[in-house]
PDB file of all heavy atoms in Angstrom:
ATOM      1  N   GLY A1581     132.333 -45.243 -55.256  1.00  0.00           N
ATOM      2  CA  GLY A1581     131.686 -44.121 -54.606  1.00  0.00           C
ATOM      3  C   GLY A1581     132.615 -43.451 -53.620  1.00  0.00           C
ATOM      4  O   GLY A1581     133.799 -43.723 -53.546  1.00  0.00           O
ATOM      5  N   LYS A1582     132.032 -42.528 -52.849  1.00  0.00           N
ATOM      6  CA  LYS A1582     132.766 -41.792 -51.809  1.00  0.00           C
ATOM      7  C   LYS A1582     132.151 -42.107 -50.459  1.00  0.00           C
ATOM      8  O   LYS A1582     130.946 -42.383 -50.352  1.00  0.00           O
ATOM      9  CB  LYS A1582     132.755 -40.281 -52.102  1.00  0.00           C
ATOM     10  CG  LYS A1582     133.448 -39.937 -53.414  1.00  0.00           C
ATOM     11  CD  LYS A1582     133.391 -38.429 -53.663  1.00  0.00           C
ATOM     12  CE  LYS A1582     134.134 -38.076 -54.928  1.00  0.00           C
ATOM     13  NZ  LYS A1582     133.480 -38.661 -56.122  1.00  0.00           N
ATOM     14  N   GLY A1583     132.957 -41.993 -49.408  1.00  0.00           N
ATOM     15  CA  GLY A1583     132.436 -42.329 -48.092  1.00  0.00           C
ATOM     16  C   GLY A1583     133.047 -41.521 -46.978  1.00  0.00           C
ATOM     17  O   GLY A1583     134.013 -40.764 -47.166  1.00  0.00           O
ATOM     18  N   PHE A1584     132.483 -41.714 -45.804  1.00  0.00           N
ATOM     19  CA  PHE A1584     132.858 -40.999 -44.579  1.00  0.00           C
ATOM     20  C   PHE A1584     132.740 -41.978 -43.429  1.00  0.00           C
ATOM     21  O   PHE A1584     131.724 -42.640 -43.274  1.00  0.00           O
ATOM     22  CB  PHE A1584     131.916 -39.783 -44.407  1.00  0.00           C
ATOM     23  CG  PHE A1584     131.800 -39.232 -43.026  1.00  0.00           C
ATOM     24  CD1 PHE A1584     132.908 -38.990 -42.229  1.00  0.00           C
ATOM     25  CD2 PHE A1584     130.530 -38.875 -42.510  1.00  0.00           C
ATOM     26  CE1 PHE A1584     132.774 -38.466 -40.943  1.00  0.00           C
ATOM     27  CE2 PHE A1584     130.397 -38.340 -41.233  1.00  0.00           C
ATOM     28  CZ  PHE A1584     131.509 -38.121 -40.468  1.00  0.00           C
ATOM     29  N   LEU A1585     133.798 -42.072 -42.643  1.00  0.00           N
ATOM     30  CA  LEU A1585     133.806 -42.927 -41.431  1.00  0.00           C
ATOM     31  C   LEU A1585     133.784 -42.043 -40.193  1.00  0.00           C
ATOM     32  O   LEU A1585     134.632 -41.153 -40.049  1.00  0.00           O
ATOM     33  CB  LEU A1585     135.044 -43.809 -41.400  1.00  0.00           C
ATOM     34  CG  LEU A1585     135.366 -44.468 -40.050  1.00  0.00           C
ATOM     35  CD1 LEU A1585     134.265 -45.408 -39.588  1.00  0.00           C
ATOM     36  CD2 LEU A1585     136.721 -45.177 -40.100  1.00  0.00           C
ATOM     37  N   SER A1586     132.855 -42.307 -39.296  1.00  0.00           N
ATOM     38  CA  SER A1586     132.811 -41.683 -37.984  1.00  0.00           C
ATOM     39  C   SER A1586     132.911 -42.775 -36.936  1.00  0.00           C
ATOM     40  O   SER A1586     132.064 -43.666 -36.904  1.00  0.00           O
ATOM     41  CB  SER A1586     131.502 -40.904 -37.800  1.00  0.00           C
ATOM     42  OG  SER A1586     131.392 -40.446 -36.470  1.00  0.00           O
ATOM     43  N   MET A1587     133.937 -42.710 -36.106  1.00  0.00           N
ATOM     44  CA  MET A1587     134.087 -43.646 -34.975  1.00  0.00           C
ATOM     45  C   MET A1587     133.815 -42.882 -33.711  1.00  0.00           C
ATOM     46  O   MET A1587     134.469 -41.838 -33.456  1.00  0.00           O
ATOM     47  CB  MET A1587     135.480 -44.271 -34.978  1.00  0.00           C
ATOM     48  CG  MET A1587     135.608 -45.438 -34.029  1.00  0.00           C
ATOM     49  SD  MET A1587     137.100 -46.417 -34.363  1.00  0.00           S
ATOM     50  CE  MET A1587     136.856 -47.765 -33.224  1.00  0.00           C
ATOM     51  N   ALA A1588     132.879 -43.335 -32.915  1.00  0.00           N
ATOM     52  CA  ALA A1588     132.410 -42.541 -31.780  1.00  0.00           C
ATOM     53  C   ALA A1588     132.237 -43.421 -30.557  1.00  0.00           C
ATOM     54  O   ALA A1588     131.950 -44.610 -30.672  1.00  0.00           O
ATOM     55  CB  ALA A1588     131.086 -41.853 -32.122  1.00  0.00           C
ATOM     56  N   ILE A1589     132.355 -42.795 -29.398  1.00  0.00           N
ATOM     57  CA  ILE A1589     132.033 -43.469 -28.146  1.00  0.00           C
ATOM     58  C   ILE A1589     131.304 -42.463 -27.238  1.00  0.00           C
ATOM     59  O   ILE A1589     131.733 -41.301 -27.144  1.00  0.00           O
ATOM     60  CB  ILE A1589     133.259 -44.061 -27.458  1.00  0.00           C
ATOM     61  CG1 ILE A1589     132.836 -44.850 -26.215  1.00  0.00           C
ATOM     62  CG2 ILE A1589     134.308 -43.029 -27.124  1.00  0.00           C
ATOM     63  CD1 ILE A1589     133.913 -45.756 -25.662  1.00  0.00           C
ATOM     64  N   GLN A1590     130.232 -42.912 -26.661  1.00  0.00           N
ATOM     65  CA  GLN A1590     129.530 -42.153 -25.632  1.00  0.00           C
ATOM     66  C   GLN A1590     129.707 -42.935 -24.326  1.00  0.00           C
ATOM     67  O   GLN A1590     129.022 -43.944 -24.114  1.00  0.00           O
ATOM     68  CB  GLN A1590     128.059 -41.996 -25.975  1.00  0.00           C
ATOM     69  CG  GLN A1590     127.838 -41.269 -27.283  1.00  0.00           C
ATOM     70  CD  GLN A1590     126.375 -41.062 -27.626  1.00  0.00           C
ATOM     71  OE1 GLN A1590     125.589 -40.585 -26.784  1.00  0.00           O
ATOM     72  NE2 GLN A1590     125.985 -41.392 -28.827  1.00  0.00           N
ATOM     73  N   ALA A1591     130.641 -42.493 -23.498  1.00  0.00           N
ATOM     74  CA  ALA A1591     130.988 -43.233 -22.290  1.00  0.00           C
ATOM     75  C   ALA A1591     130.116 -42.794 -21.130  1.00  0.00           C
ATOM     76  O   ALA A1591     130.558 -42.330 -20.069  1.00  0.00           O
ATOM     77  CB  ALA A1591     132.447 -43.017 -21.953  1.00  0.00           C
ATOM     78  N   MET A1592     128.818 -42.947 -21.353  1.00  0.00           N
ATOM     79  CA  MET A1592     127.772 -42.630 -20.377  1.00  0.00           C
ATOM     80  C   MET A1592     126.445 -42.924 -21.053  1.00  0.00           C
ATOM     81  O   MET A1592     126.425 -43.310 -22.232  1.00  0.00           O
ATOM     82  CB  MET A1592     127.852 -41.169 -19.922  1.00  0.00           C
ATOM     83  CG  MET A1592     127.767 -40.181 -21.079  1.00  0.00           C
ATOM     84  SD  MET A1592     128.280 -38.507 -20.623  1.00  0.00           S
ATOM     85  CE  MET A1592     127.090 -38.093 -19.340  1.00  0.00           C
ATOM     86  N   LYS A1593     125.345 -42.802 -20.343  1.00  0.00           N
ATOM     87  CA  LYS A1593     124.042 -42.998 -20.983  1.00  0.00           C
ATOM     88  C   LYS A1593     123.893 -42.002 -22.103  1.00  0.00           C
ATOM     89  O   LYS A1593     124.089 -40.785 -21.908  1.00  0.00           O
ATOM     90  CB  LYS A1593     122.929 -42.816 -19.961  1.00  0.00           C
ATOM     91  CG  LYS A1593     122.829 -43.932 -18.949  1.00  0.00           C
ATOM     92  CD  LYS A1593     122.258 -45.185 -19.589  1.00  0.00           C
ATOM     93  CE  LYS A1593     121.984 -46.263 -18.544  1.00  0.00           C
ATOM     94  NZ  LYS A1593     123.233 -46.769 -17.907  1.00  0.00           N
ATOM     95  N   PRO A1594     123.550 -42.432 -23.334  1.00  0.00           N
ATOM     96  CA  PRO A1594     123.450 -41.480 -24.462  1.00  0.00           C
ATOM     97  C   PRO A1594     122.482 -40.325 -24.227  1.00  0.00           C
ATOM     98  O   PRO A1594     122.775 -39.202 -24.606  1.00  0.00           O
ATOM     99  CB  PRO A1594     122.950 -42.374 -25.612  1.00  0.00           C
ATOM    100  CG  PRO A1594     123.428 -43.764 -25.245  1.00  0.00           C
ATOM    101  CD  PRO A1594     123.352 -43.833 -23.757  1.00  0.00           C
ATOM    102  N   HIS A1595     121.356 -40.570 -23.554  1.00  0.00           N
ATOM    103  CA  HIS A1595     120.400 -39.516 -23.320  1.00  0.00           C
ATOM    104  C   HIS A1595     120.818 -38.574 -22.206  1.00  0.00           C
ATOM    105  O   HIS A1595     120.213 -37.508 -22.006  1.00  0.00           O
ATOM    106  CB  HIS A1595     119.009 -40.094 -23.030  1.00  0.00           C
ATOM    107  CG  HIS A1595     118.955 -41.044 -21.899  1.00  0.00           C
ATOM    108  ND1 HIS A1595     119.584 -42.255 -21.928  1.00  0.00           N
ATOM    109  CD2 HIS A1595     118.333 -40.967 -20.681  1.00  0.00           C
ATOM    110  CE1 HIS A1595     119.359 -42.914 -20.785  1.00  0.00           C
ATOM    111  NE2 HIS A1595     118.615 -42.138 -20.031  1.00  0.00           N
ATOM    112  N   HIS A1596     121.858 -38.922 -21.432  1.00  0.00           N
ATOM    113  CA  HIS A1596     122.433 -38.002 -20.465  1.00  0.00           C
ATOM    114  C   HIS A1596     123.442 -37.097 -21.110  1.00  0.00           C
ATOM    115  O   HIS A1596     123.707 -35.989 -20.623  1.00  0.00           O
ATOM    116  CB  HIS A1596     123.087 -38.762 -19.302  1.00  0.00           C
ATOM    117  CG  HIS A1596     122.086 -39.412 -18.372  1.00  0.00           C
ATOM    118  ND1 HIS A1596     122.479 -40.256 -17.364  1.00  0.00           N
ATOM    119  CD2 HIS A1596     120.747 -39.330 -18.328  1.00  0.00           C
ATOM    120  CE1 HIS A1596     121.402 -40.692 -16.728  1.00  0.00           C
ATOM    121  NE2 HIS A1596     120.333 -40.142 -17.288  1.00  0.00           N
ATOM    122  N   ALA A1597     124.093 -37.536 -22.171  1.00  0.00           N
ATOM    123  CA  ALA A1597     125.151 -36.757 -22.824  1.00  0.00           C
ATOM    124  C   ALA A1597     124.590 -35.675 -23.726  1.00  0.00           C
ATOM    125  O   ALA A1597     125.139 -34.583 -23.804  1.00  0.00           O
ATOM    126  CB  ALA A1597     126.061 -37.703 -23.602  1.00  0.00           C
ATOM    127  N   ALA A1598     123.526 -36.003 -24.475  1.00  0.00           N
ATOM    128  CA  ALA A1598     123.047 -35.054 -25.495  1.00  0.00           C
ATOM    129  C   ALA A1598     121.530 -35.118 -25.598  1.00  0.00           C
ATOM    130  O   ALA A1598     120.923 -36.180 -25.480  1.00  0.00           O
ATOM    131  CB  ALA A1598     123.666 -35.396 -26.848  1.00  0.00           C
ATOM    132  N   SER A1599     120.948 -33.963 -25.853  1.00  0.00           N
ATOM    133  CA  SER A1599     119.505 -33.886 -26.130  1.00  0.00           C
ATOM    134  C   SER A1599     119.233 -33.740 -27.615  1.00  0.00           C
ATOM    135  O   SER A1599     118.127 -34.025 -28.066  1.00  0.00           O
ATOM    136  CB  SER A1599     118.894 -32.701 -25.383  1.00  0.00           C
ATOM    137  OG  SER A1599     119.455 -31.473 -25.806  1.00  0.00           O
ATOM    138  N   LYS A1600     120.256 -33.305 -28.377  1.00  0.00           N
ATOM    139  CA  LYS A1600     120.110 -33.137 -29.820  1.00  0.00           C
ATOM    140  C   LYS A1600     121.463 -33.425 -30.497  1.00  0.00           C
ATOM    141  O   LYS A1600     122.508 -33.180 -29.939  1.00  0.00           O
ATOM    142  CB  LYS A1600     119.669 -31.707 -30.168  1.00  0.00           C
ATOM    143  CG  LYS A1600     118.306 -31.303 -29.648  1.00  0.00           C
ATOM    144  CD  LYS A1600     117.974 -29.869 -29.987  1.00  0.00           C
ATOM    145  CE  LYS A1600     116.570 -29.480 -29.500  1.00  0.00           C
ATOM    146  NZ  LYS A1600     116.464 -29.510 -28.031  1.00  0.00           N
ATOM    147  N   TRP A1601     121.365 -33.923 -31.737  1.00  0.00           N
ATOM    148  CA  TRP A1601     122.553 -34.159 -32.566  1.00  0.00           C
ATOM    149  C   TRP A1601     122.245 -33.657 -33.969  1.00  0.00           C
ATOM    150  O   TRP A1601     121.165 -33.844 -34.490  1.00  0.00           O
ATOM    151  CB  TRP A1601     122.859 -35.667 -32.677  1.00  0.00           C
ATOM    152  CG  TRP A1601     123.491 -36.281 -31.478  1.00  0.00           C
ATOM    153  CD1 TRP A1601     122.832 -36.927 -30.442  1.00  0.00           C
ATOM    154  CD2 TRP A1601     124.880 -36.385 -31.181  1.00  0.00           C
ATOM    155  NE1 TRP A1601     123.744 -37.397 -29.545  1.00  0.00           N
ATOM    156  CE2 TRP A1601     125.003 -37.096 -29.954  1.00  0.00           C
ATOM    157  CE3 TRP A1601     126.048 -35.948 -31.826  1.00  0.00           C
ATOM    158  CZ2 TRP A1601     126.248 -37.352 -29.362  1.00  0.00           C
ATOM    159  CZ3 TRP A1601     127.260 -36.209 -31.264  1.00  0.00           C
ATOM    160  CH2 TRP A1601     127.351 -36.909 -30.025  1.00  0.00           C
ATOM    161  N   ASN A1602     123.284 -33.070 -34.623  1.00  0.00           N
ATOM    162  CA  ASN A1602     123.213 -32.718 -36.023  1.00  0.00           C
ATOM    163  C   ASN A1602     124.450 -33.326 -36.704  1.00  0.00           C
ATOM    164  O   ASN A1602     125.576 -33.099 -36.253  1.00  0.00           O
ATOM    165  CB  ASN A1602     123.223 -31.195 -36.220  1.00  0.00           C
ATOM    166  CG  ASN A1602     122.002 -30.549 -35.647  1.00  0.00           C
ATOM    167  OD1 ASN A1602     120.912 -31.117 -35.681  1.00  0.00           O
ATOM    168  ND2 ASN A1602     122.160 -29.352 -35.105  1.00  0.00           N
ATOM    169  N   VAL A1603     124.213 -34.066 -37.780  1.00  0.00           N
ATOM    170  CA  VAL A1603     125.325 -34.674 -38.531  1.00  0.00           C
ATOM    171  C   VAL A1603     125.222 -34.264 -39.989  1.00  0.00           C
ATOM    172  O   VAL A1603     124.150 -34.319 -40.581  1.00  0.00           O
ATOM    173  CB  VAL A1603     125.238 -36.231 -38.443  1.00  0.00           C
ATOM    174  CG1 VAL A1603     126.359 -36.869 -39.215  1.00  0.00           C
ATOM    175  CG2 VAL A1603     125.283 -36.694 -36.976  1.00  0.00           C
ATOM    176  N   LEU A1604     126.359 -33.844 -40.544  1.00  0.00           N
ATOM    177  CA  LEU A1604     126.427 -33.476 -41.961  1.00  0.00           C
ATOM    178  C   LEU A1604     127.507 -34.285 -42.646  1.00  0.00           C
ATOM    179  O   LEU A1604     128.630 -34.429 -42.133  1.00  0.00           O
ATOM    180  CB  LEU A1604     126.761 -31.992 -42.094  1.00  0.00           C
ATOM    181  CG  LEU A1604     127.209 -31.508 -43.467  1.00  0.00           C
ATOM    182  CD1 LEU A1604     126.033 -31.493 -44.435  1.00  0.00           C
ATOM    183  CD2 LEU A1604     127.840 -30.130 -43.421  1.00  0.00           C
ATOM    184  N   ASN A1605     127.192 -34.777 -43.837  1.00  0.00           N
ATOM    185  CA  ASN A1605     128.166 -35.459 -44.680  1.00  0.00           C
ATOM    186  C   ASN A1605     127.978 -34.922 -46.091  1.00  0.00           C
ATOM    187  O   ASN A1605     126.935 -35.200 -46.729  1.00  0.00           O
ATOM    188  CB  ASN A1605     127.955 -36.964 -44.642  1.00  0.00           C
ATOM    189  CG  ASN A1605     128.832 -37.719 -45.633  1.00  0.00           C
ATOM    190  OD1 ASN A1605     129.879 -37.246 -46.030  1.00  0.00           O
ATOM    191  ND2 ASN A1605     128.379 -38.901 -46.033  1.00  0.00           N
ATOM    192  N   PHE A1606     128.951 -34.146 -46.575  1.00  0.00           N
ATOM    193  CA  PHE A1606     128.903 -33.602 -47.927  1.00  0.00           C
ATOM    194  C   PHE A1606     130.073 -34.195 -48.715  1.00  0.00           C
ATOM    195  O   PHE A1606     131.217 -34.081 -48.304  1.00  0.00           O
ATOM    196  CB  PHE A1606     129.008 -32.079 -47.898  1.00  0.00           C
ATOM    197  CG  PHE A1606     129.139 -31.424 -49.254  1.00  0.00           C
ATOM    198  CD1 PHE A1606     128.023 -31.065 -49.981  1.00  0.00           C
ATOM    199  CD2 PHE A1606     130.401 -31.158 -49.793  1.00  0.00           C
ATOM    200  CE1 PHE A1606     128.152 -30.487 -51.246  1.00  0.00           C
ATOM    201  CE2 PHE A1606     130.538 -30.551 -51.034  1.00  0.00           C
ATOM    202  CZ  PHE A1606     129.415 -30.219 -51.749  1.00  0.00           C
ATOM    203  N   GLN A1607     129.755 -34.794 -49.865  1.00  0.00           N
ATOM    204  CA  GLN A1607     130.777 -35.400 -50.708  1.00  0.00           C
ATOM    205  C   GLN A1607     130.699 -34.812 -52.114  1.00  0.00           C
ATOM    206  O   GLN A1607     129.694 -34.991 -52.822  1.00  0.00           O
ATOM    207  CB  GLN A1607     130.609 -36.922 -50.777  1.00  0.00           C
ATOM    208  CG  GLN A1607     130.713 -37.637 -49.436  1.00  0.00           C
ATOM    209  CD  GLN A1607     132.119 -37.599 -48.860  1.00  0.00           C
ATOM    210  OE1 GLN A1607     133.100 -37.544 -49.598  1.00  0.00           O
ATOM    211  NE2 GLN A1607     132.241 -37.666 -47.520  1.00  0.00           N
ATOM    212  N   GLY A1608     131.753 -34.053 -52.475  1.00  0.00           N
ATOM    213  CA  GLY A1608     131.819 -33.474 -53.804  1.00  0.00           C
ATOM    214  C   GLY A1608     132.922 -34.079 -54.632  1.00  0.00           C
ATOM    215  O   GLY A1608     133.720 -34.894 -54.146  1.00  0.00           O
ATOM    216  N   PRO A1609     133.058 -33.696 -55.899  1.00  0.00           N
ATOM    217  CA  PRO A1609     134.113 -34.247 -56.748  1.00  0.00           C
ATOM    218  C   PRO A1609     135.502 -33.987 -56.232  1.00  0.00           C
ATOM    219  O   PRO A1609     136.414 -34.796 -56.387  1.00  0.00           O
ATOM    220  CB  PRO A1609     133.881 -33.551 -58.109  1.00  0.00           C
ATOM    221  CG  PRO A1609     132.463 -33.069 -58.032  1.00  0.00           C
ATOM    222  CD  PRO A1609     132.176 -32.776 -56.613  1.00  0.00           C
ATOM    223  N   ASN A1610     135.707 -32.821 -55.575  1.00  0.00           N
ATOM    224  CA  ASN A1610     137.030 -32.431 -55.147  1.00  0.00           C
ATOM    225  C   ASN A1610     137.214 -32.293 -53.636  1.00  0.00           C
ATOM    226  O   ASN A1610     138.326 -32.410 -53.147  1.00  0.00           O
ATOM    227  CB  ASN A1610     137.412 -31.096 -55.812  1.00  0.00           C
ATOM    228  CG  ASN A1610     137.355 -31.157 -57.318  1.00  0.00           C
ATOM    229  OD1 ASN A1610     138.073 -31.921 -57.932  1.00  0.00           O
ATOM    230  ND2 ASN A1610     136.473 -30.365 -57.915  1.00  0.00           N
TER     231      ASN A1610
END
Side-chain angles (χ1 to χ4, degrees):
K1582 297 179 178 65
F1584 158 46
L1585 164 63
S1586 172
M1587 191 165 186
I1589 184 166
Q1590 300 182 50
M1592 56 196 298
K1593 288 287 187 294
H1595 56 294
H1596 288 173
S1599 62
K1600 297 178 178 65
W1601 285 93
N1602 296 325
V1603 179
L1604 166 71
N1605 173 25
F1606 172 88
Q1607 299 291 333
N1610 302 299

